[in-house]
Structures are given as C-alpha cells and as structure tokens.
Amino acid sequence: MISRKYHVIINTIILILLFFIPSFFNKTYHIMLFDQTFINIITLLGLNFITGLTGQMNLGTAGIFAIGAYTSSLLCVKLGISPWLGLIAAIVMGYLIGIGLGWPSLRIKGIYLALTTLGFGEIIRLLIANMSKFTGGTQGVKGIPFYNLFGLTIGNEREFYYFLLIVTIIMVYFSSRIVNSKWGRAFKAIRDNELAVETCGINISDIKIKAFTLASIYGCIGGALFAHLMGYINPVDFNIDLSVKYLMMLMVGGIGSVPGSIIGAIVVTLLPEYLRFLQNYYWLTFSVILLIFSVLLPNGLISLFDVVVKSVKMKGGGNNANYSSSK
C-alpha cells in the first residue's frame, strides 16, 4: 500500500509539472520540442508492443507513421473533412496495416523480418514521393488544418501542447493496461520462449498480429497528430533514419517497459537539441552519451529506477531486521 501511495504521489507531481511547463518556456521552439516529444512517446508505445514485448524486430515505423500522417492530411486537404474524422481514418489504416504486416511475422523472424519491415517503410516513402498527383510528391502536402474542439481551434504550439498532453496520458493509460493484461503476458511469453507458448495451446499467430496491429494503430495516431501539428508534411520526413531513431529511443529507455518508452522518447528527442551549443560536435557528443548508456545500462535508463527501488527496499528490510533483533 505504501508503494502504491508513493506511485500516486509521484504521478501527481509529474502531471502538475507537465501542466506548468509552457509557463517556464517563452520560445515557440521549446514548446514545439515538447509537442514532438509527446508524439514520439505515443509512437514509441506502439513500437514497444511489437519489438519490446513480443520481440519481433520492426524497422517499418517510419512507413506506418507516414501512412497515418498522409491519410489524415489528404482527407482533410482534398475532401475537406474534419481532422477528427481524419484521425479515425488513420486509426482504421493502422488496423489494416497491422494485419498486413503481421502475416509475414508468422513465417519469418529475426533479420529477415527486420528487412521485410524496412522494405515496407521504404516502399511507402517511394510511393508517396512518386504519386505526385495524389500525394503531392516531393512538394508535400500544405495547408493541413488544425483540430477544432467545441468551437475552439487548437491553432498554436501551446494549445497543441495541452491537447497532446491529454492524448498522451490516455495512450499511456491504455498501453499500461494492455501490458498488464493477458495480452501483455502473452506478448512477453512469445518473446521469452515461443515454443513453450505454442505447447500451452496459445494461438501465436493471433497474438503476433494483435501486437503488430497495436503498434500500427499507435504509429498512425502519432503520424496524424504530427501532420496537424506541423501543417505541412513531406516524404523526406519519413525516411529510414526515423525508424532507426525510434528503435534507438526504445533501447535507451528500456525495451519492453512503458515508463522506459516514455524516458527513451524524452531523452532522444530533447537531449540532441539541448546539446546544440556544442555546434558541430553536438551529434558526436550525443552519440558518445548513447554509447555509454548502452554499455553501462544495457537494460535502459529505466533500470536505474529499479536499482534505486531495490536499494530502498534492502535498507528498509535491514532496518526492520535490526528492530526485530533489538526486541
């Protein structure tokens, strides 16, 4: 009960700090960074289902992200529909993509699955770039409208910040619920010992497709939010570097952990930007920091919190033992 009490207190403090963050930063640039961080958290939570929990390598996050962005953008710009309907359409596309990408994972795995998803991402980018009459090609999509909530247009970075904060909290909540549900346990079991799971009578095919579907839905939601935040998207934004960046976030924060995904997205999104004062050496410094993290913390930054919790418990246990012996 004490542990749960502290958990609630910590979450409350974090939410209060997040609510007042825009008050501490006056520059639009900083608010945009926080907006991008929220979008990365949502997308990374999806990648965590398939790569972190199920253990299936997915390098097609950029393609999924692009489909979500272009689905919502094109429907809003060309057909004039509401961005909310565009978001729903992106979710439907994520569901369909998840099923489509899930089937190859039933027959291939490891490096072959990684190459398949990587090829998927590149195919999507090339199709977007070359179907210029439909997607705008290399010129991109301009004039993407903002979201409108009860007559209030979410039209600037600060307003979008609070909107994304609410959406991120909802997505984190559902992600945590799924991870701690029977689905989450099945995901982890497949990652640890697929053969043992199959002998228990669990439908592995169904579980893998569910994981890919969740990853795709989260990724498409992130893409749609990104498009309406920026107001302009271009195929260049969705290259292989984006997929690698999300995989990097997962590794830095902690593979298979919802808090780890949040931490990884925050660190990899914000740290390079706050190292820009080093000018030409900022990316080199960031790469060295990541290398140190990977060597000293192979389980991600979230493992630091586990160490702290264990040490506190050990001290608490030691104090109880001394108290008992004194009695």
Side-chain angles (χ1 to χ4, degrees):
M1 292 296 294
I2 296 177
S3 177
R4 188 172 182 179
K5 177 183 176 182
Y6 285 135
H7 188 264
V8 172
I9 292 173
I10 291 172
N11 285 340
T12 304
I13 293 173
I14 291 174
L15 288 176
I16 293 172
L17 290 175
L18 288 173
F19 184 82
F20 286 105
I21 273 181
S23 303
F24 303 142
F25 296 91
N26 296 322
K27 293 184 179 179
T28 301
Y29 168 73
H30 293 115
I31 305 300
M32 281 293 291
L33 279 179
F34 293 125
D35 291 346
Q36 184 64 61
T37 302
F38 286 135
I39 292 173
N40 287 340
I41 289 173
I42 293 170
T43 307
L44 194 62
L45 288 172
L47 181 61
N48 186 54
F49 285 122
I50 188 63
T51 300
L53 295 176
T54 316
Q56 307 292 308
M57 183 59 70
N58 180 15
L59 287 175
T61 307
I64 296 170
F65 195 81
I67 289 176
Y70 271 87
T71 297
S72 183
S73 301
L74 292 175
L75 287 175
C76 293
V77 173
K78 292 186 176 293
L79 300 182
I81 70 171
S82 167
W84 294 108
L85 293 178
L87 180 61
I88 293 173
I91 293 173
V92 173
M93 285 298 296
Y95 175 78
L96 297 175
I97 295 166
I99 295 175
L101 276 178
W103 282 109
S105 70
L106 306 181
R107 295 184 176 273
I108 56 178
K109 58 182 65 177
I111 186 65
Y112 301 104
L113 181 60
L115 291 174
T116 300
T117 53
L118 177 64
F120 163 78
E122 282 299 289
I123 288 171
I124 295 299
R125 185 183 65 82
L126 291 173
L127 285 174
I128 291 172
N130 288 282
M131 297 174 64
S132 55
K133 291 184 179 179
F134 179 63
T135 64
T138 55
Q139 299 298 317
V141 181
K142 304 175 183 178
I144 302 172
F146 297 112
Y147 288 100
N148 190 293
L149 186 62
F150 302 116
L152 175 65
T153 300
I154 306 174
N156 60 52
E157 294 76 15
R158 291 179 182 273
E159 293 171 353
F160 224 100
Y161 173 91
Y162 291 108
F163 169 64
L164 288 174
L165 174 60
I166 294 171
V167 174
T168 302
I169 291 172
I170 294 172
M171 301 303 285
V172 168
Y173 172 77
F174 280 113
S175 181
S176 300
R177 295 281 293 181
I178 293 171
V179 168
N180 295 313
S181 70
K182 63 178 182 179
W183 282 13
R185 291 190 290 272
F187 293 159
K188 296 174 186 177
I190 289 176
R191 178 192 63 191
D192 296 335
N193 195 327
E194 187 172 324
L195 182 60
V197 173
E198 191 171 12
T199 57
C200 292
I202 297 176
N203 190 338
I204 293 179
S205 302
D206 184 58
I207 295 299
K208 285 185 177 180
I209 290 174
K210 279 186 172 69
F212 263 106
T213 302
L214 286 169
S216 298
I217 289 175
Y218 269 69
C220 282
I221 291 174
L225 294 173
F226 172 79
H228 290 278
L229 168 66
M230 303 304 294
Y232 169 77
I233 53 175
N234 189 289
V236 178
D237 299 327
F238 312 106
N239 55 29
I240 186 176
D241 291 343
L242 183 62
S243 295
V244 174
K245 185 177 180 180
Y246 279 118
L247 191 60
M248 188 189 307
M249 293 177 189
L250 199 62
M251 295 175 64
V252 169
I255 296 177
S257 167
V258 172
S261 298
I262 297 172
I263 293 171
I266 293 172
V267 170
V268 177
T269 304
L270 298 181
L271 185 57
E273 300 301 324
Y274 287 104
L275 289 175
R276 284 188 180 273
F277 69 92
L278 298 174
Q279 298 180 357
N280 294 335
Y281 298 98
Y282 88 96
W283 193 255
L284 174 62
T285 306
F286 175 68
S287 301
V288 171
I289 292 173
L290 289 188
L291 180 61
I292 294 172
F293 281 163
S294 63
V295 173
L296 300 180
L297 299 168
N299 294 321
L301 289 172
I302 192 64
S303 60
L304 283 176
F305 293 93
D306 295 334
V307 171
V308 172
V309 170
K310 287 180 181 179
S311 63
V312 170
K313 286 183 177 180
M314 289 178 65
K315 289 180 180 179
N319 292 336
N320 291 334
N322 292 334
Y323 176 74
S324 299
S325 62
S326 64
K327 289 182 69 176

